[in-house]
Amino acid sequence: MAPHSIMSSRTFFVGGNWKMNGDKKSLGDLITTLNTASLHDETEVVCGAPTVYLDFARSNLDARIGVAAQNCYKVAKGAFTGEISPAMIKDCGVEWVILGHSERRHVFGESDELIGQKVAHALESDLGVIACIGEKLEEREAGTTEDVVYAQTQAIADNVKDWSKVVLAYEPVWAIGTGKTASPEQAQEVHEKLREWIRANVSEAVADSVRIIYGGSVTGANCKELGSQNDVDGFLVGGASLKPEFVDIINARA
Ligand code: PGA
């Protein structure tokens, strides 16, 4: 199949990850900007809101824009102080959850095993999952990027039955929040390898259809070139998703 037809069969996906930022005033202003903006209608858009603002975000964002939680636990309910479940996320009308984000892995110590269990339960609960993977700088410098991202992807893949509800986010840790974006060639190289890994270890059909999105210092200025790579099917955007510039990133393929 020609690269172009592979590219065009996957709907471009742009996620915003607000992380632990904003308040009702600033997020309300951002929501108004997004609701009134002209957004490329062939791009799927999802905003990752802090837990306490999930209901607020879902109630105020246009229906054409999805909402994601930034984390959830691996069971539906119980004595797990401070945690939230996929059932609660769904009860707020929210459709997605981000799992395995680098900050969950490296600030809060989440293991591949726990992330896999969370992925399984979120999918069983009918949430879409934005599953994040990515190597640290020392791993890249040691030449182990592939080993790291394949192992992380394996722990996710072991827990996925229906890949239509999964978006894989490749986010090199050294590029997150640092202003050091991966070059389009670096991103494409890893995305292509991940797709080949999925072809070999999951299936041909999933390799062709799964969206592999890039995250790490994506901006309005670099999104078009990154988004023009054959295996880059969208972005997960942190800092720039809190600014009006997010509209330009959504429209990268317009
Ligand atoms: P960044 O964050 O765009 O601020 O680098 C990306 C992410 O953590 O998802």
Side-chain angles (χ1 to χ4, degrees):
M1 212 188 303
H4 183 73
S5 60
I6 292 174
M7 191 164 102
S8 57
S9 67
R10 297 187 292 267
T11 303
F12 206 66
F13 184 104
V14 177
N17 179 4
W18 298 346
K19 309 192 181 184
M20 197 177 74
N21 291 299
D23 51 26
K24 282 192 183 172
K25 171 75 179 79
S26 65
L27 296 176
D29 289 347
L30 178 65
I31 287 168
T32 302
T33 300
L34 294 174
N35 286 349
T36 54
S38 161
L39 306 180
H40 186 225
D41 57 12
E42 284 164 44
T43 295
E44 187 169 359
V45 183
V46 172
C47 292
T51 304
V52 287
Y53 297 132
L54 283 173
D55 209 5
F56 173 77
R58 185 58 290 164
S59 306
N60 288 287
L61 273 168
D62 246 39
R64 67 187 170 147
I65 300 171
V67 177
Q70 299 173 9
N71 187 26
C72 67
Y73 198 49
K74 61 178 178 176
V75 294
K77 63 184 166 84
F80 302 104
T81 303
E83 294 292 315
I84 62 167
S85 72
M88 294 168 177
I89 294 167
K90 289 209 66 177
D91 194 35
C92 292
V94 169
E95 314 84 3
W96 289 89
V97 62
I98 300 169
L99 290 173
H101 188 276
S102 131
E103 287 139 25
R104 298 305 319 171
R105 291 176 186 271
H106 304 303
V107 182
F108 299 100
E110 291 193 12
S111 64
D112 274 346
E113 187 191 6
L114 178 60
I115 292 161
Q117 291 166 335
K118 290 180 175 196
V119 167
H121 181 62
L123 290 171
E124 278 160 17
S125 310
D126 204 31
L127 277 180
V129 172
I130 301 167
C132 307
I133 58 171
E135 83 288 1
K136 297 192 228 172
L137 183 60
E138 59 264 33
E139 292 165 337
R140 175 164 282 261
E141 287 174 348
T144 58
T145 297
E146 282 168 58
D147 297 340
V148 170
V149 297
Y150 292 164
Q152 291 171 337
T153 306
Q154 180 80 64
I156 292 162
D158 287 344
N159 290 284
V160 177
K161 292 190 192 105
D162 177 6
W163 281 86
S164 70
K165 310 258 320 182
V166 179
V167 171
L168 193 61
Y170 169 60
E171 301 201 293
V173 180
W174 47 272
I176 297 178
T178 58
K180 289 185 193 147
T181 320
S183 69
E185 296 73 26
Q186 284 174 319
Q188 168 58 25
E189 185 187 12
V190 178
H191 283 227
E192 188 176 356
K193 284 181 174 153
L194 283 167
R195 201 176 301 286
E196 290 321 306
W197 185 93
I198 292 167
R199 197 177 303 286
N201 294 280
V202 181
S203 77
E204 189 84 22
V206 170
D208 288 339
S209 61
V210 71
R211 272 88 56 90
I212 306 178
I213 64 175
Y214 168 79
S217 300
V218 176
T219 65
N222 61 31
C223 64
K224 276 204 181 343
E225 214 190 335
L226 281 163
S228 69
Q229 304 301 306
N230 277 339
D231 291 289
V232 175
D233 304 315
F235 307 113
L236 186 56
V237 185
S241 73
L242 291 158
K243 303 178 190 162
E245 174 184 359
F246 188 51
V247 172
D248 301 326
I249 300 174
I250 292 168
N251 291 333
R253 279 263 182 99

